[in-house]
Amino acid sequence: LTTADHDQLAPQGIGAGRGSAIAVWTDGRVADGQADIYAQKIDFAPWLSTLDSLRFGARAVNSISVDTIVITNTGPVPLKITDIRRPPVGNAYTDFRILTTLSFPITLAPDSSKRVAISFTPTNSGDRGTQIRINSNFSVDPVIIPLTGYGANPKISTLQMFIFGPARVGSLIDTVIENIVRNTGTGPLLLSELSMSGEHP
């Protein structure tokens, strides 16, 4: 766009490296009334690339999980990050924390990245969620990354007794015991070992 006097005509463009171009046109704004050739280099803005969302999945209530957001400048000019925060939004924003110490502004050169560690500690069972907001000189401001997780509170429930009944000494009774172990809580229950114990294991 131009607001200069007289005519600006016949624009042409040529690439000038990644994210840049040179525009050339004839311009009639000169004092002698004769058109002249004008040119201007146009640089593309920085480009912030990161996750669309960060999902922690199911985690035991009060346990701590850590994952990482990687922020990359995929544009041709420096990216200036002025703020990264977890605002008080969502049903469980205090369950999520930014662990990385940040000092603003953060300037990322083209093709460089910044890693930000995020922790999730569910304080209750069920769906947990909030977001991370990144402010920068990127054209989309702020960039919002949803954070989600699930608070799991598994509970083990077992049979108190199972009676096989009388059997001949040395004979085999092959029996399927239904519901010997059940998860009566919320979220996955991980069984790590099953063993026999007692007077005659």
Side-chain angles (χ1 to χ4, degrees):
L1 294 175
T2 178
T3 58
D5 294 335
H6 305 291
D7 293 329
Q8 288 76 44
L9 303 172
Q12 299 291 319
I14 186 171
R18 186 182 67 171
S20 298
I22 297 174
V24 182
W25 67 95
T26 58
D27 199 303
R29 78 183 79 179
V30 293
D32 61 7
Q34 298 295 317
D36 207 343
I37 298 173
Y38 276 59
Q40 180 177 347
K41 186 178 181 185
I42 304 166
D43 285 319
F44 189 52
W47 192 272
L48 192 159
S49 297
T50 189
L51 299 173
D52 292 331
S53 63
L54 182 59
R55 299 180 176 92
F56 283 89
R59 297 291 185 266
V61 171
N62 295 323
S63 67
I64 299 175
S65 300
V66 178
D67 208 336
T68 303
I69 293 173
V70 180
I71 304 167
T72 303
N73 178 13
T74 55
V77 294
L79 172 69
K80 185 177 181 180
I81 300 172
T82 55
D83 194 25
I84 300 173
R85 69 176 57 201
R86 183 225 61 209
V89 298
N91 67 338
Y93 65 92
T94 57
D95 290 3
F96 301 85
R97 292 182 54 217
I98 298 174
L99 300 181
T100 304
T101 301
L102 302 170
S103 180
F104 300 103
I106 298 169
T107 301
L108 296 181
D111 296 321
S112 63
S113 300
K114 178 68 176 178
R115 301 176 69 87
V116 180
I118 308 293
S119 71
F120 172 51
T121 306
T123 56
N124 211 332
S125 59
D127 290 322
R128 320 296 286 169
T130 188
Q131 60 184 227
I132 291 291
R133 291 187 184 181
I134 305 171
N135 292 100
S136 68
N137 60 340
F138 179 43
S139 58
V140 177
D141 185 49
V143 171
I144 296 176
I145 304 173
L147 306 178
T148 60
Y150 187 87
N153 194 13
K155 183 178 180 181
I156 190 168
S157 177
T158 64
L159 290 179
Q160 296 301 305
M161 180 182 294
F162 182 82
I163 300 175
F164 278 88
R168 186 184 302 273
V169 173
S171 64
L172 173 66
I173 300 178
D174 190 359
T175 303
V176 175
I177 305 174
E178 299 288 346
N179 296 322
I180 189 171
V181 178
R182 292 184 297 133
N183 177 11
T184 57
T186 61
L189 172 67
L190 177 64
L191 300 179
S192 57
E193 184 180 357
L194 180 65
S195 62
M196 299 288 186
S197 64
E199 186 177 355
H200 305 107

